[in-house]
Amino acid sequence: WVSRMRLQYKYYNEGKPSSMTHHRVEQLQHLGFSWNVQRFDNATWMLRYEQLKQFQLTHGHCRVPKKLPNYTKLSTWLGNQKKNYQLFRNHKPSKMTEERAQLLEEIGFTLVTPTQTQQPTCNNFTDKKSTKEQ
C-alpha cells in the first residue's frame, strides 16, 4: 500500500493520471507519511554504521556475531553491506554509494579474500588513521 501511494504521488506530481488527490496528499502529510523512502534508508544506514563503529571500538574488530540477540540486526546489516560493497567496487548495481563506501573504509572496513571466511573486518581506528598521517 505504501509503495502504491508513493507511486501515485509521483504520477500526481508529474501530471500523469493518478488516484492521488490534493486532499489525500494533505491527509497523508498530516499523518507524517514519508514520500521519500531514501530518507528512512539513510537514517537506518547511519544508525547501523554508528552501531558498527561502537562495536569496533569495544571489540577491536567488525566480526559481528550472528547468534547473539543484541547483534542480530547489526549482523544482518553488515552482511548486506559486504555484498553491496563488493558489487559497488566491481562497478555493478548496488545500494552502496561512494559516500557509504568511504565511511566504511574510514573505520578500516575490509573484506577478506574469497578463499577465506568472507567476514568483513575493521582494522583498528587509530592504526588506520596513523598510517594515513605518516
Side-chain angles (χ1 to χ4, degrees):
W1 181 84
V2 170
S3 295
R4 194 170 60 242
M5 290 298 104
R6 287 183 177 131
L7 182 62
Q8 292 302 315
Y9 180 72
K10 178 183 175 204
Y11 291 161
Y12 173 78
N13 283 333
E14 293 173 350
K16 295 179 180 178
S18 168
S19 62
M20 188 60 63
T21 64
H22 179 72
H23 180 66
R24 258 192 211 153
V25 170
E26 286 180 343
Q27 286 179 320
L28 289 167
Q29 286 175 335
H30 178 72
L31 294 172
F33 188 84
S34 176
W35 299 107
N36 183 353
V37 72
Q38 182 133 15
R39 189 173 11 164
F40 174 76
D41 286 347
N42 285 336
T44 302
W45 195 93
M46 287 306 296
L47 172 68
R48 297 287 180 250
Y49 173 73
E50 291 300 325
Q51 290 172 343
L52 179 62
K53 280 176 41 177
Q54 185 60 47
F55 182 91
Q56 198 280 339
L57 285 171
T58 303
H59 301 284
H61 60 79
C62 290
R63 293 178 306 278
V64 181
K66 294 178 182 178
K67 295 182 181 181
L68 293 179
N70 293 346
Y71 298 115
T72 305
K73 289 181 181 181
L74 182 59
S75 177
T76 300
W77 177 84
L78 189 57
N80 290 332
Q81 299 319 299
K82 179 188 80 166
K83 291 173 195 168
N84 284 311
Y85 184 88
Q86 286 175 320
L87 290 169
F88 181 76
R89 288 296 174 220
N90 289 320
H91 307 287
K92 295 182 180 178
S94 88
K95 292 184 179 182
M96 184 63 60
T97 64
E98 186 62 41
E99 178 186 0
R100 288 177 177 182
Q102 286 177 355
L103 285 170
L104 289 169
E105 290 165 0
E106 283 176 12
I107 64 169
F109 179 89
T110 59
L111 298 172
V112 296
T113 60
T115 57
Q116 295 173 345
T117 63
Q118 290 290 323
Q119 271 290 4
T121 61
C122 289
N123 299 328
N124 185 299
F125 288 119
T126 53
D127 289 348
K128 180 96 172 153
K129 286 181 182 176
S130 64
T131 24
K132 281 184 179 179
E133 292 170 0
Q134 292 176 353

